[in-house]
């Protein structure tokens, strides 16, 4: 996440400072586990789902982390003639630099797959409940950031999960699809 790792991105000073702050947060979140409150282990007889509960104070910083990754990947791809965020880029970049992400109710969801704890992948296009999104995997965490302006429907289980006080991260077996038996997880 260090801005100087890719000098071709031509980042403004404000973005560089924000990226540098995000580096500090990632150490606190992933390495120091500063925001982790508790872990719910999967029930062997009932479901393969477990969960990590992180303090709600990490939610905004986690959002900036995910958006920052997506913006940097978009700029890298744009220099190669490709596109990641499409028409969402300008809005995301403005809100990221202007510190408005938390005010505009961006939607993201995270799942943890411990078997893939060493996996790193750049953000790529994805779809979540028929909405445009980007997906990335870092240190076993799979992040989904919805880039559409349209909100998830009120009955969306992901939306209900995101409205909890804690940041709840699903823990799933790598062999299972992330959305399989999501109802069972929500009832647990």
């Amino acid at each position: 996440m260090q801005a100087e790792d890719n000098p071709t991105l031509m980042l403004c000073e404000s973005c560089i400072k924000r990226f540098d702050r995000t580096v500090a947060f990632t150490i606190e979140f992933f390495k120091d586990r500063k925001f982790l409150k508790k872990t719910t282990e999967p029930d062997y007889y009932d479901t393969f789902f477990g969960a990590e509960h992180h303090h709600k104070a990490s939610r905004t910083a986690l959002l900036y982390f995910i958006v920052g990754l997506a913006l940097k990947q978009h700029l890298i791809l744009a220099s190669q003639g490709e596109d990641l965020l499409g028409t969402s880029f300008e809005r995301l970049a403005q809100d990221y630099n202007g510190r408005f992400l938390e005010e505009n109710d961006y939607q993201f969801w995270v799942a943890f797959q411990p078997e893939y704890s060493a996996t790193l992948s750049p953000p790529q296009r994805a779809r979540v409940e028929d909405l445009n999104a980007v997906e990335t995997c870092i240190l076993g965490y799979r992040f989904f950031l919805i880039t559409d302006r349209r909100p998830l429907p009120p009955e969306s289980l992901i939306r209900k999960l995101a409205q909890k006080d804690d940041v709840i991260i699903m823990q799933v077996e790598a062999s299972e699809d992330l959305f399989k038996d999501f109802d069972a997880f929500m009832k647990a």
Side-chain angles (χ1 to χ4, degrees):
M1 286 294 295
Q2 295 286 358
E4 60 268 20
D5 289 346
N6 199 328
T8 63
L9 296 184
M10 301 293 290
L11 299 171
C12 70
E13 192 65 31
S14 296
C15 282
I16 290 174
K17 288 179 181 177
R18 182 166 291 287
F19 280 130
D20 289 344
R21 282 198 296 273
T22 303
V23 173
F25 165 74
T26 57
I27 293 171
E28 292 177 341
F29 188 89
F30 294 108
K31 182 182 177 185
D32 298 341
R33 312 292 279 165
K34 177 180 176 181
F35 299 97
L36 181 63
K37 294 175 70 175
K38 66 177 182 176
T39 300
T40 305
E41 296 296 330
D43 185 330
Y44 179 77
Y45 297 102
D46 211 10
T47 175
F48 59 85
F49 287 119
E52 289 184 359
H53 298 254
H54 295 256
H55 194 278
K56 62 183 178 182
S58 67
R59 184 174 188 82
T60 299
L62 194 58
L63 175 59
Y64 275 99
F65 165 69
I66 298 169
V67 172
L69 284 179
L71 290 172
K72 289 182 94 172
Q73 180 66 5
H74 176 89
L75 292 171
I76 291 168
L77 290 175
S79 69
Q80 301 167 3
E82 299 179 41
D83 190 2
L84 175 67
L85 297 172
T87 58
S88 300
F89 172 75
E90 292 294 335
R91 175 171 49 88
L92 281 167
Q94 182 177 355
D95 287 351
Y96 181 84
N97 192 32
R99 304 181 186 181
F100 297 132
L101 288 181
E102 60 268 39
E103 297 175 11
N104 288 331
D105 198 27
Y106 282 88
Q107 303 162 95
F108 71 91
W109 179 58
V110 193
F112 181 54
Q113 295 176 302
E115 292 87 349
Y116 286 97
S117 60
T119 302
L120 297 170
S121 69
Q124 56 190 357
R125 289 178 187 265
R127 295 284 285 177
V128 175
E129 295 194 9
D130 294 323
L131 296 177
N132 290 317
V134 292
E135 173 189 358
T136 188
C137 184
I138 181 169
L139 302 176
Y141 290 86
R142 288 182 67 183
F143 297 98
F144 297 86
L145 170 69
I146 296 174
T147 57
D148 276 358
R149 281 185 179 274
R150 292 184 298 131
L152 287 160
E155 65 274 11
S156 166
L157 294 170
I158 298 174
R159 182 171 175 176
K160 292 175 183 175
L161 183 65
Q163 289 174 346
K164 302 277 186 182
D165 286 337
D166 294 340
V167 175
I168 301 177
I169 296 176
M170 292 175 59
Q171 179 174 328
V172 298
E173 293 179 1
S175 60
E176 297 288 350
D177 183 89
L178 290 176
F179 296 97
K180 184 178 179 183
D181 292 335
F182 200 75
D183 285 299
F185 171 77
M186 290 301 296
K187 292 174 183 173

